[in-house]
Amino acid sequence: MAYKFDFGAIVPHWQLLFDGVILTTELTVIGAVVGVGLGIMGAWARASRAPVISQIVGVYVELIRNTPFLVQLFFIFFGLPALGVKLTEFQAAVLAMIVNLGAYSTEIIRAGILAIPQGQIEAAQSLAMNRVQIFRYVVILPALKKIWPALSSQIVIVMLGSSVCSQIAAEELTFGANYIQALNFRAFEVYFVVTGLYLVMSILLRMGLKVLGNFLFERRRHV
Amino acid sequence: MSLVELHAIHKSFGELEVLKGIDLSIDEGQVIALIGKSGSGKSTLLRTINGLEVIDDGVIIVDGKKISDRDADLLGLRLQVGMVFQQFNLFPHYTALENVMLSPQVVKKQSKAEAKQIAEEMLAKVGLADKMMHYPDQLSGGQQQRVAIARALAMKPKVLLCDEVTSALDPELVNEVLAVVRQLAEEGMTLVMVTHEMRFAREVCDKLVFMHQGRIHETGDPETVFANPKTPELASFVGGLA
Amino acid sequence: MSEFSLWDIVYNLLLAARWTVLLSLTAFVLGGLVGLLLLMVRTAGNPWVIRLVRGYVELFQGTPLLMQLFIVFFGLPLIGLDVSPWVAATLGLTLFTSAFLTEIWRGCVESIGKGQWEASASLGMNFTQQMRYIVLPQALRIAVPPTVGFSVQVVKGTAVASIIGFVELTKAGTMITNATYEPFTVYGCVAVMYFLICYPLSLFARHLEGKFRHVAR
Ligand SMILES: Nc1ncnc2c1ncn2[C@@H]1O[C@H](COP(=O)(O)OP(=O)(O)OP(=O)(O)O)[C@@H](O)[C@H]1O
Ligand SMILES: [Mg+2]
C-alpha cells in the first residue's frame, strides 16, 4: 500500500503561500533593519564608559541568547498583555525578531568594534572628534565590514526562525502551510514545498546581504 | 608667554612612573626635537600634550588656558594641537581627500566646499595632489604618512606633534616625509617631534630635549648639545648613535 | 481563579524540563555521532561525497528547524513508520545537530595545517591512523569550545519540538497557561528555566574559549 504523492493538491492554494512569503519577507526586513540598528546601539552601550548601561545591555544579551525564540515570542504575545501591552500577531512577531536579533547583533558588532585598532581611535581623537563622531565616522563602518559575514548568517537564522511565528497565528509562510494542509490533508507535500521555498529564500537573502555588503563597504576604485 | 607650557607633569602606568615631573615650554614657531632611549617616556610626553594620556599630576597650559581632563577641555586642546603617528593611522574606508576633509567638516562644521578646498591645498602642500582619490591601501607608506600630515594640518593646529613619523617607513621613503616636515619648519610651524634622525634634528630643530628615565635630562640648541653633551647619559646616547 | 500556586507552576514545569534535558542530550549525542561519521567520510575525500555532505549541511542550515521536524513527523508515516512526537523530535533534532556539528568540526579539522597530514603520511600512517593519532587530537582542542557553544542551540531547538506535540518545557508552559490564564508568570518561569540550563553552558563555552586562546599563544 504505497502512498501516492500529490503535489498538485497545493496548486489551488498557491496564493496562501505567496502571501506567506511576502509576510515572512516583511518580518525579516523590518526585523533585520531595526534589529541591527538596536545591535549597533547595544554595541555602543557595551563599549561605552557607563558601566551601568553596559551591564544592563549585557544582561539583555545573555537573557535573549540563552532562551528559545519561541518562548520569547510567547512571552511577548501572551505575557505582555498582562502588563497592558497588547500587540497584534504581526507586531508581536516583529518585536520578538527585533529583540532577538538585537541581542545577537550586539555581541557580533561589539566584536567588530573591539577589532578596530586603537590607533584609529587615537587618530580621530587627535583630530578633536568627540565620542559620537568617532563612533559614527571612524569606528562603525569598518567594524560592520569586519563582521558582515557573521551578521548576515545571524539574519538568515532569524528569518528561518520566524517560521515559529505561525504559532501565534502570524500569517507568515509556515502559517500558510499549516492552513493549506488543514484544507487538503497533504501535510508532507505542503511542508516539503514550503521547505524548498525557505531554502530559496535563505539563499536569496544571503545573496542580497552580500550585495548590500559590497555596496556598503566596497569602494569605488579610483585608480 | 609660550604657546604650550608644561609644569611638573607626572604620569604612571600602574606601578611604573613614566614621567617624573616634566617642565617644558614650547614657543610659537619653535621646532623641538625630543630624543632619548627607548622607554624613556618620549611618546608618553607627546601624548599627554595631545590629551591622549591623562596626567596624574601637573599643569598643561595652552595659549594661556589651563587644560583639565574634562572632555570639553580635551577637545579644545586638540583643536590647537595636532598629532602625526608612527603608524599613520589613516582611516581605511576614506580616500586621501576624505581623510583630510573629515575633521574640518564634522568637528569644525565647515561646508563641504570649504573643507574640500583646504584639503586639496594641504594635500598639494605635501605633494599628493595627484593621489587625492586614492584609498590608504593604494598608497605607499611615505604617501600615507604625508596624507596623515595633511590631515593634521587641515585642522590648522597651532602646534604639530610628530611621534617618530619615519620609523615605520622603508628607508627609501624616509626622505619624502622628512622633506615635508622640513618645509613646515621653514614656514614657521611650531613642531615637537620625537625622532631618531639626528642629522635631521641638528639641521632643522632650534631646541633639543633629551629625555632619560622619565625626566628631561638635558636640553639646549642642537649644535651645542651634540658637540658638547654635558651629561654622560647624553654623551653615551649620542655616542651610541654614531 | 485558578488553584495553581506559583509552586505548582514551577513544579510542573520542572517535571517537563526533564524531557527538554533528555531530548537535548539524546539529540546532541546522536547528532554528534552522525556528525562525526559525516566528517570522516567527508575528510576521506571522494569529491561526490564531499558535495553530498555539503548539500546536507546547506539543506539543514538553510531551512527552518520547524520544517525539518514537520517533514520527519509527516514523512515517516508515509513510508509506513508510525512515529511518536518523541521519535520524530529526536530524529529531526539529531539530523539538525549533525549538520551543524559536522560543519563546525570541518572548520576545526581544516585549521590543522597540511603539513601535519604530510608529515604523518611521510611516517607511513594510513588515513585512519593520521586521523586517530595526529589530526583529531589537535582538532579536538579547537573544537571543544564551539561544540559546547552549539549545545545551547540544541537546547533552544528542543522548544520547537513542542509544535509537533512533544510535551517538553515549552509545551508544558502552553498547557499550564491554558489552565491558569497566567501567561506572564508561566512563560516567565519557562524562560528562566531555559536560561538556567543554557547560561551555564554558554559560560562554560566562553571559559573554554578563553583557555584555548591562552594555550594557542
Ligand atoms: N599604555 C601603557 N600602559 C603601560 N605601560 C606603558 C603604556 N604606554 C607606555 N608604557 C610604558 O611607559 C614607558 C615609556 O613608554 P614610551 O612609549 O613613552 O617610551 P618612548 O620613549 O616613546 O620609547 P620608544 O623610543 O620605544 O618609542 C615604557 O616602559 C612603556 O612600556
Ligand atoms: Mg615612542
Side-chain angles (χ1 to χ4, degrees), chain C residues 99-203:
Chain C
F100 278 81
L101 284 182
T102 205
E103 183 66 5
I104 291 174
W105 293 341
R106 179 185 66 88
C108 298
V109 170
E110 280 177 3
S111 72
I112 307 296
K114 217 178 154 115
Q116 294 290 316
W117 286 100
E118 286 170 356
S120 48
S122 77
L123 293 172
M125 292 187 183
N126 64 29
F127 174 72
T128 323
Q129 291 164 331
Q130 287 177 309
M131 265 297 196
R132 163 84 180 73
Y133 295 106
I134 308 299
V135 177
L136 277 188
Q138 295 183 56
L140 222 56
R141 275 197 315 178
I142 321 174
V144 168
T147 304
V148 174
F150 183 72
S151 70
V152 177
Q153 308 303 323
V154 177
V155 175
K156 291 190 293 180
T158 61
V160 179
S162 68
I163 298 175
I164 58 168
F166 180 63
V167 183
E168 39 62 78
L169 188 48
T170 306
K171 184 76 185 174
T174 303
M175 288 157 61
I176 296 172
T177 299
N178 290 340
T180 61
Y181 304 107
E182 290 188 45
F184 188 83
T185 314
V186 175
Y187 287 122
C189 290
V190 170
V192 167
M193 283 184 202
Y194 276 110
F195 187 81
L196 291 179
I197 300 171
C198 292
Y199 189 55
L201 290 171
S202 295
L203 284 183

Side-chain angles (χ1 to χ4, degrees), chain C:
Chain C
M1 189 173 78
S2 73
E3 304 95 66
F4 276 79
S5 68
L6 181 62
W7 167 244
D8 289 326
I9 292 173
V10 171
Y11 179 73
N12 281 294
L13 288 178
L14 277 176
L15 289 182
R18 295 178 311 174
W19 289 102
T20 293
V21 173
L22 188 65
L23 180 57
S24 306
L25 278 175
T26 314
F28 192 67
V29 171
L30 294 181
L33 289 176
V34 177
L36 199 61
L37 200 74
L38 290 171
L39 180 70
M40 292 300 232
V41 298
R42 186 191 165 122
T43 317
N46 177 324
W48 277 105
V49 174
I50 292 179
R51 222 163 289 168
L52 216 63
V53 175
R54 193 187 299 154
Y56 177 85
V57 169
E58 272 170 21
L59 186 67
F60 280 91
Q61 294 193 337
T63 58
L65 174 59
L66 178 56
M67 289 301 118
Q68 296 160 21
L69 295 185
F70 274 163
I71 291 208
V72 171
F73 189 61
F74 293 107
L76 288 184
L78 303 188
I79 53 171
L81 297 171
D82 241 332
V83 293
S84 65
W86 157 251
V87 172
T90 307
L91 186 58
L93 275 164
T94 296
L95 298 179
F96 168 83
T97 305
S98 70
F100 278 81
L101 284 182
T102 205
E103 183 66 5
I104 291 174
W105 293 341
R106 179 185 66 88
C108 298
V109 170
E110 280 177 3
S111 72
I112 307 296
K114 217 178 154 115
Q116 294 290 316
W117 286 100
E118 286 170 356
S120 48
S122 77
L123 293 172
M125 292 187 183
N126 64 29
F127 174 72
T128 323
Q129 291 164 331
Q130 287 177 309
M131 265 297 196
R132 163 84 180 73
Y133 295 106
I134 308 299
V135 177
L136 277 188
Q138 295 183 56
L140 222 56
R141 275 197 315 178
I142 321 174
V144 168
T147 304
V148 174
F150 183 72
S151 70
V152 177
Q153 308 303 323
V154 177
V155 175
K156 291 190 293 180
T158 61
V160 179
S162 68
I163 298 175
I164 58 168
F166 180 63
V167 183
E168 39 62 78
L169 188 48
T170 306
K171 184 76 185 174
T174 303
M175 288 157 61
I176 296 172
T177 299
N178 290 340
T180 61
Y181 304 107
E182 290 188 45
F184 188 83
T185 314
V186 175
Y187 287 122
C189 290
V190 170
V192 167
M193 283 184 202
Y194 276 110
F195 187 81
L196 291 179
I197 300 171
C198 292
Y199 189 55
L201 290 171
S202 295
L203 284 183
F204 186 47
R206 206 174 306 159
H207 167 77
L208 290 171
E209 224 169 86
K211 204 154 111 181
F212 174 72
R213 213 174 286 149
H214 200 69
V215 173
R217 257 190 210 146

Side-chain angles (χ1 to χ4, degrees), chain A residues 171-183:
Chain A
E171 298 179 4
E172 42 68 66
L173 182 52
T174 304
F175 181 87
N178 295 346
Y179 197 87
I180 295 172
Q181 68 96 15
L183 291 176

Side-chain angles (χ1 to χ4, degrees), chain B residues 194-213:
Chain B
V194 175
T195 182
H196 293 303
E197 305 282 338
M198 290 306 146
R199 205 164 63 92
F200 183 80
R202 186 183 297 199
E203 287 170 14
V204 176
C205 299
D206 334 305
K207 180 172 165 183
L208 206 82
V209 173
F210 173 62
M211 287 192 68
H212 184 67
Q213 296 183 349

